[in-house]
Amino acid sequence: MSIYRLIRQRFFPHLWCPGCGHGMVLNSLLHAVDDLGIDQSQLCMVSGIGCSARISGYVDFHSMHTLHGRALAFATGLKMARPELKVFVPMGDGDATAIGGNHFIHACRRNIDMVAIVMNNRIYGMTGGQYSPLSGRQIGGDDEKSRERSVFATTAPYGSIDRAFDTVELAKGAGATFVARTTAYHVQEMRRLFKQAYEHKGFSVVEVLCQCPTYFGRKNKMGGAVQMLQWLKDNTEKLGSKKLEENPNLIARGVFVDKDEPEYCSEYENSVIAKAHKE
Amino acid sequence: MSGKICFVQGNEACVRGALYAGVRFFAGYPITPSTEIAEHLADQLPRVGGKFVQMEDELASMCAICGASLAGFKSMTATSGPGFSLKQEALGYAIMAEIPCVVVNVQRGGPSTGLPTECSQGDVMQARWGAHGDHSIIALTASSIQDAFEVTVQAFNLAETYRTPVVLLFDEVLGHMRERLEIPEAGVLPVVERLKTDVRAGVNYHPYLPREDGRLPMSDFGGVHRFNVTGLHHDIWGFPTSNDEQVVKLNYHLFDKIESHANELARWKEYYLEDAEHVLISYGSSARTARALVEDRRAKGDRLGLLELQTLWPFPAQLVQDKTANAKSIYVVEMNMGQVASQVKAVVANPDRVFLVNRMDGHLMTPSDISQVMRVVEGRGF
Amino acid sequence: MEKYRFLLSGSGGQGVITMAILLAEAAVLHEGLIAVQSQSYGPEARGGATRSDVIISDSEILFPKVLQPNYLVAMTNEAAGKYMPLIRPGGMCIYDTDLVQPSRRIDAMLMGMPMQKAVLEKFHKTQALNICVLGALVTLTGAVKMESVEQVLKARFKPAFHEANSAALALGAELAKPFLSAN
């Protein structure tokens, strides 16, 4: 019941396709925020452009629907001005790692306390199914036949030759202080990871592998939403599990990084402002 | 006016003006010839409870000031041509989402990376039309260090009054030149504070519903009203819409809220226009050259006058018409291929008598550059 | 008062622009005069050609650049070659005798002094060279009072540098003195 206070009910039903994973992300996020009992007047969501970015219209937070790839840059200004605000930044895969790639790595490095969610469905949905930096060359996963299959997209009619980023490795390499991955299938895990990410003081990245049945699924013969969710269930495994250790074809889920580093807004307060006042 | 006297660069005068107006947030990226603005604000902002951040690029800087402004901070960024190109995307966003902010462009030679350390006034049209789509913008200039200070204060005032980005079109000569600045006591120059909504918590607040006077009261992110901000066409709540009527209304609103105030927004200085046969029109550091020539020729009895435009956008058409009504000829003195000259030609009664005097090599126009063109036009040879 | 038009030139890192700022600031803040300082420079922070213009007057200065200096300071041969031809006839050229071989064909008072050598001897480094040049320049032109420059130096630099700055300024004044008695 109480999660309804967190949404703008008049905009439902949402614009996402039937079976889209983004609704599941919204659902887990609302439950996480509700569990955390965050003061709603402090809640902000800053999103970019794309299917994923529309999430900011549905939450009854202070919401900013910004430019493609630049949500983190807007959020940086917002948080610098008012560090007490609780900021969530949902992004799509192209949004976060292609056009917003520079902002993403620098946000990881800067370490401002906010939660970045990369809703990775391996495709540009809003523009109709083009490959992204997270599409990769092959479908991947445990099944031998599909593993080697090429990824197709409207802009990769002969199969994609673009290697993919690994969002987790990218975030780790760029210095994010909390990095996790889950999937749209694992809704309770997602809810838990969102809470952990929120409670982490610093820049948190949670990658959520999502299904896009309309474009990625259709272009790549992955079946409908149910089959795609099944794929996410079958091809991912918890960090530290035996199954994962024994099978390198599985994708790891869980918390990859959780470390304490100076948070930028606090540093600005404690170091820069303090020194400026001493002079 | 008995304020503090100092000897500073145009870029620093801009910083002092911004601080006078209450700037509390700056995001930027190093670029010649505007970098000193970032350097001074990095030093000054933390002393006054403000924040400074050097972003990863020019695009991010423009985005960050939008974010900070929505949180209630008076915000600015500074750049030069190449960076101004990159900022256009988020500048358009600020126009669409009606976010008050100030963008300084200390112009250098272009196009592209052009002449990084030299002077130009080639971004006049970019300031007007750099962002895509129909819109309007306010752009101001200055020709002295004192004016750079005052125009910067004014830029913040207009940004808050009209809920819009304001562009300060300075140039390399002004940015780097040093001269006396008298900083007025607080309260001497008017400072417009943000108009905040008085709608109470729990009562509907419409962030994009103009009051009768056209102004749109704001509510900070983190305040009692939660609303949406978007670069899409939106309704009075800030939610995306493609409703024909709302779309058209918003387009007209964004245009009219500035263009219909062109006369009030016009800021200028004038010298000897009462009886001037030949009127020079100039702005920025070129206006100093134009004035030097006018003073020199007046001393010899020639009836020259100068109209220095401090507001370039919205273009002060009425002002230009009025001030040039009796002129035999009009010389537009600027360091570009005629970006303001074309505007002047479009509004005066006799466009055939409008002549461009320009210089494109990165060096400040000299008085003899102007007098040479005048000689030719007057049929006195070269 | 006639306008003083200075063109100060040398290479990046010699402190030419700082010297110009100090001179103009002294005029504005301590003598109630009007001054404009501007500069042109290339991409190099060190080396390359640097030029800074200062105009000092008791009336409004409109055109801020110096087209024809009555006072030129040249601290490199390159700068001397480039700017000496601009000197107003009968103007003054101040230069370092070890760094510059000025053209004798130009109608200007040539005032060469071994400033770099003197600074090196006294301080064992060249950082204060620009202050020394300023001392000579102010002595030879009388554009501003030496006390005004002293005050600007005190306000602009940390106390640790005050003594060396005063000494460098005095050194420049000392080197310039023979020219004063000669005229």
Side-chain angles (χ1 to χ4, degrees):
Chain A
M1 164 57 209
S2 56
I3 68 160
Y4 286 94
R5 74 185 163 88
L6 297 171
I7 58 170
R8 290 158 170 157
Q9 293 186 48
R10 65 185 184 282
F11 296 121
F12 285 81
H14 55 64
L15 59 55
W16 294 314
C17 304
C20 174
H22 292 354
M24 293 160 166
V25 176
L26 173 60
N27 190 36
S28 291
L29 179 68
L30 293 174
H31 279 100
V33 168
D34 188 45
D35 292 348
L36 289 161
I38 309 167
D39 174 5
Q40 202 161 343
S41 69
Q42 300 277 286
L43 271 169
C44 299
M45 185 176 278
V46 184
S47 66
I49 292 293
C51 293
S52 62
R54 290 307 187 100
I55 192 173
S56 61
Y58 300 122
V59 293
D60 192 6
F61 300 5
H62 298 281
S63 58
M64 219 188 281
H65 175 234
T66 69
L67 299 166
H68 199 22
R70 325 245 177 267
L72 288 168
F74 282 86
T76 298
L78 181 63
K79 274 292 280 191
M80 285 289 286
R82 288 183 167 239
E84 73 276 14
L85 297 179
K86 317 301 180 197
V87 180
F88 291 86
V89 186
M91 296 171 284
D93 40 314
D95 203 25
T97 67
I99 194 165
N102 199 32
H103 309 309
F104 182 73
I105 58 172
H106 287 276
C108 290
R109 171 182 67 79
R110 209 172 272 123
N111 199 33
I112 291 180
D113 187 25
M114 60 174 90
V115 179
I117 301 166
V118 182
M119 299 154 79
N120 174 12
N121 56 15
R122 305 177 69 180
I123 201 97
Y124 287 88
M126 190 143 274
T127 45
Q130 298 75 36
Y131 68 94
S132 88
L134 302 188
S135 299
R137 297 164 65 102
Q138 281 105 24
I139 298 294
D142 193 30
D143 179 75
E144 213 171 304
K145 262 193 251 162
S146 70
R147 184 162 63 232
E148 302 299 325
R149 266 200 301 134
S150 282
V151 165
F152 288 91
T154 60
T155 46
Y158 307 108
S160 166
I161 56 165
D162 276 48
R163 295 162 65 216
F165 274 138
D166 178 328
T167 312
V168 166
E169 291 301 323
L170 184 64
K172 276 165 71 176
T177 51
F178 181 95
V179 183
R181 180 191 285 132
T182 182
T183 86
Y185 174 83
H186 301 89
V187 289
Q188 292 298 349
E189 180 180 86
M190 193 184 342
R191 175 180 183 169
R192 212 168 46 243
L193 288 175
F194 284 158
K195 285 194 276 187
Q196 244 181 295
Y198 173 82
E199 277 167 345
H200 171 77
K201 174 94 173 156
F203 189 73
S204 308
V205 179
V206 181
E207 183 187 28
V208 184
L209 305 181
C210 291
Q211 75 281 12
C212 172
T214 304
Y215 292 113
F216 193 83
R218 207 155 45 90
K219 275 272 163 201
N220 292 291
K221 302 190 170 54
M222 302 280 285
V226 175
Q227 289 76 24
M228 291 185 83
L229 283 164
Q230 182 72 42
W231 191 93
L232 291 172
K233 176 176 186 276
D234 294 344
N235 291 287
T236 63
E237 210 38 76
K238 271 192 181 166
L239 264 180
S241 69
K242 217 174 163 86
K243 266 193 186 170
L244 185 67
E245 248 170 61
E246 288 167 358
N247 187 350
N249 296 320
L250 297 178
I251 302 163
R253 304 191 322 268
V255 177
F256 297 80
V257 179
D258 185 358
K259 60 179 178 186
D260 278 333
E261 291 278 351
E263 194 275 337
Y264 194 84
C265 297
S266 305
E267 282 298 291
Y268 195 84
E269 203 69 44
N270 301 334
S271 179
V272 176
I273 291 182
K275 283 178 189 162
H277 281 279
K278 250 186 234 164
E279 271 189 23
Chain B
M1 192 160 98
S2 69
K4 189 188 163 208
I5 292 166
C6 45
F7 184 72
V8 295
Q9 273 193 331
N11 284 343
E12 190 177 346
C14 173
V15 167
R16 305 277 181 117
L19 290 165
Y20 188 93
V23 69
R24 286 297 175 269
F25 184 80
F26 179 95
Y29 188 82
I31 184 168
T32 303
S34 81
T35 308
E36 295 86 358
I37 295 176
E39 289 173 339
H40 284 291
L41 282 167
D43 179 50
Q44 292 295 316
L45 277 172
R47 297 167 192 253
V48 296
K51 307 283 173 74
F52 167 92
V53 60
Q54 183 171 311
M55 295 298 287
E56 55 272 21
D57 58 32
E58 297 275 5
L59 305 91
S61 309
M62 188 66 216
C63 298
I65 70 164
C66 290
S69 182
L70 287 171
F73 279 39
K74 286 188 176 178
S75 302
M76 82 185 285
T77 183
T79 188
S80 187
F84 196 51
S85 293
L86 291 168
K87 287 188 194 300
Q88 296 300 328
E89 181 196 34
L91 185 64
Y93 184 87
I95 290 165
M96 185 59 143
E98 303 190 65
I99 302 171
C101 55
V102 173
V103 182
V104 187
N105 175 357
V106 185
Q107 295 167 94
R108 65 193 227 186
S112 191
T113 33
L115 297 165
T117 60
E118 296 187 43
C119 190
S120 147
Q121 297 174 323
D123 304 346
V124 175
M125 282 298 170
Q126 189 188 21
R128 179 65 189 88
W129 290 116
H132 59 273
D134 246 312
H135 60 272
S136 191
I137 193 109
I138 299 172
L140 308 176
T141 69
S143 65
S144 72
I145 301 307
Q146 192 69 38
D147 286 352
F149 176 92
E150 288 173 19
V151 155
T152 302
V153 176
Q154 181 69 356
F156 277 92
N157 289 348
L158 297 177
E160 294 299 336
T161 304
Y162 294 93
R163 251 188 91 167
T164 189
V166 174
V167 177
L168 284 171
L169 273 181
F170 294 152
D171 55 59
E172 189 277 333
V173 168
L174 183 80
H176 283 161
M177 186 178 94
R178 285 178 179 80
E179 142 182 281
R180 179 183 192 269
L181 170 68
E182 186 168 352
I183 298 175
E185 303 270 353
V188 173
L189 293 183
V191 168
V192 175
E193 293 308 335
R194 183 161 299 183
L195 180 65
K196 299 275 176 81
T197 181
D198 52 13
V199 172
R200 282 168 288 116
V203 177
N204 287 343
Y205 160 66
H206 301 101
Y208 293 103
L209 180 65
R211 298 194 312 194
E212 255 176 53
D213 63 0
R215 293 191 66 184
L216 294 91
M218 295 184 75
S219 176
D220 298 343
F221 265 52
V224 296
H225 300 292
R226 290 187 298 277
F227 56 94
N228 190 53
V229 176
T230 178
L232 292 169
H233 276 84
H234 46 269
D235 58 21
I236 57 174
W237 304 87
F239 290 105
T241 181
S242 53
N243 171 287
D244 297 355
E245 198 187 327
Q246 286 173 344
V247 165
V248 171
K249 212 169 167 181
L250 178 58
N251 279 338
Y252 282 132
H253 162 71
L254 292 177
F255 194 80
D256 291 348
K257 75 171 184 178
I258 293 169
E259 295 298 325
S260 65
H261 292 96
N263 288 342
E264 300 156 45
L265 287 165
R267 235 187 113 104
W268 75 96
K269 288 184 159 184
E270 57 176 272
Y271 306 91
Y272 309 109
L273 287 183
E274 310 76 36
D275 64 342
E277 284 181 2
H278 308 288
V279 172
L280 275 58
I281 297 178
S282 191
Y283 52 92
S285 54
S286 303
R288 295 180 78 106
T289 307
R291 200 174 147 217
L293 181 82
V294 167
E295 296 286 351
D296 187 44
R297 294 279 294 267
R298 275 279 164 179
K300 292 173 184 147
D302 296 338
R303 279 155 62 182
L304 264 64
L306 170 66
L307 174 61
E308 179 191 339
L309 301 178
Q310 289 191 325
T311 303
L312 291 185
W313 305 115
F315 189 72
Q318 189 68 51
L319 175 79
V320 169
Q321 278 166 4
D322 293 349
K323 299 294 179 189
T324 60
N326 300 317
K328 282 187 188 161
S329 50
I330 300 166
Y331 296 88
V332 181
V333 182
E334 56 184 337
M335 294 178 66
N336 58 49
M337 295 298 282
Q339 298 189 20
V340 165
S342 64
Q343 297 300 301
V344 172
K345 280 188 185 186
V347 302
V348 298
N350 195 351
D352 293 345
R353 297 301 298 166
V354 177
F355 303 97
L356 168 67
V357 184
N358 70 349
R359 183 158 181 164
M360 299 293 293
D361 59 1
H363 298 291
L364 179 63
M365 186 106 51
T366 66
S368 61
D369 291 332
I370 306 172
S371 51
Q372 264 180 18
V373 174
M374 293 184 74
R375 268 198 99 87
V376 174
V377 170
E378 288 159 12
R380 295 187 291 120
F382 185 69
Chain C
M1 138 185 203
E2 212 191 321
K3 277 194 176 81
Y4 284 88
R5 292 184 174 84
F6 297 92
L7 194 163
L8 314 179
S9 63
S11 71
Q14 282 184 324
V16 168
I17 292 174
T18 306
M19 177 175 27
I21 296 169
L22 294 168
L23 174 63
E25 190 169 271
V28 169
L29 297 188
H30 301 290
E31 314 220 348
L33 293 168
I34 292 171
V36 175
Q37 178 270 337
S38 66
Q39 60 227 328
S40 64
Y41 59 98
E44 311 90 343
R46 295 289 179 267
T50 303
R51 159 185 179 167
S52 184
D53 297 359
V54 174
I55 306 174
I56 297 176
S57 174
D58 55 2
S59 60
E60 195 174 6
I61 298 160
L62 297 171
F63 187 69
K65 301 279 181 181
V66 172
L67 300 176
Q68 291 180 295
N70 12 41
Y71 302 98
L72 172 72
V73 170
M75 296 301 290
T76 62
N77 254 332
E78 187 193 344
K82 198 165 168 187
Y83 300 121
M84 278 188 73
L86 302 184
I87 298 179
R88 276 171 201 248
M92 184 188 288
C93 175
I94 296 167
Y95 62 98
D96 189 287
T97 39
D98 294 308
L99 300 173
V100 175
Q101 291 79 49
S103 159
R104 303 276 158 188
R105 301 173 63 92
I106 300 216
D107 176 14
M109 294 178 272
L110 295 179
M111 310 225 165
M113 290 155 275
M115 295 178 280
Q116 179 171 267
K117 201 164 128 197
V119 166
L120 263 174
E121 270 169 22
K122 198 170 172 81
F123 302 102
H124 310 292
K125 51 187 177 186
T126 57
Q127 260 106 322
L129 176 59
N130 59 342
I131 310 292
C132 172
V133 177
L134 190 57
L137 178 68
V138 168
T139 305
L140 292 172
T141 63
V144 294
K145 296 189 194 77
M146 200 64 89
E147 300 89 80
S148 305
V149 179
E150 291 261 16
Q151 277 178 282
V152 169
L153 285 170
K154 285 213 169 77
R156 273 206 174 243
F157 293 93
K158 292 191 178 126
F161 296 108
H162 289 175
E163 204 180 313
N165 280 340
S166 291
L169 205 60
L171 182 62
E174 196 59 40
L175 289 170
K177 265 198 192 127
F179 292 102
L180 286 181
S181 47
N183 287 341

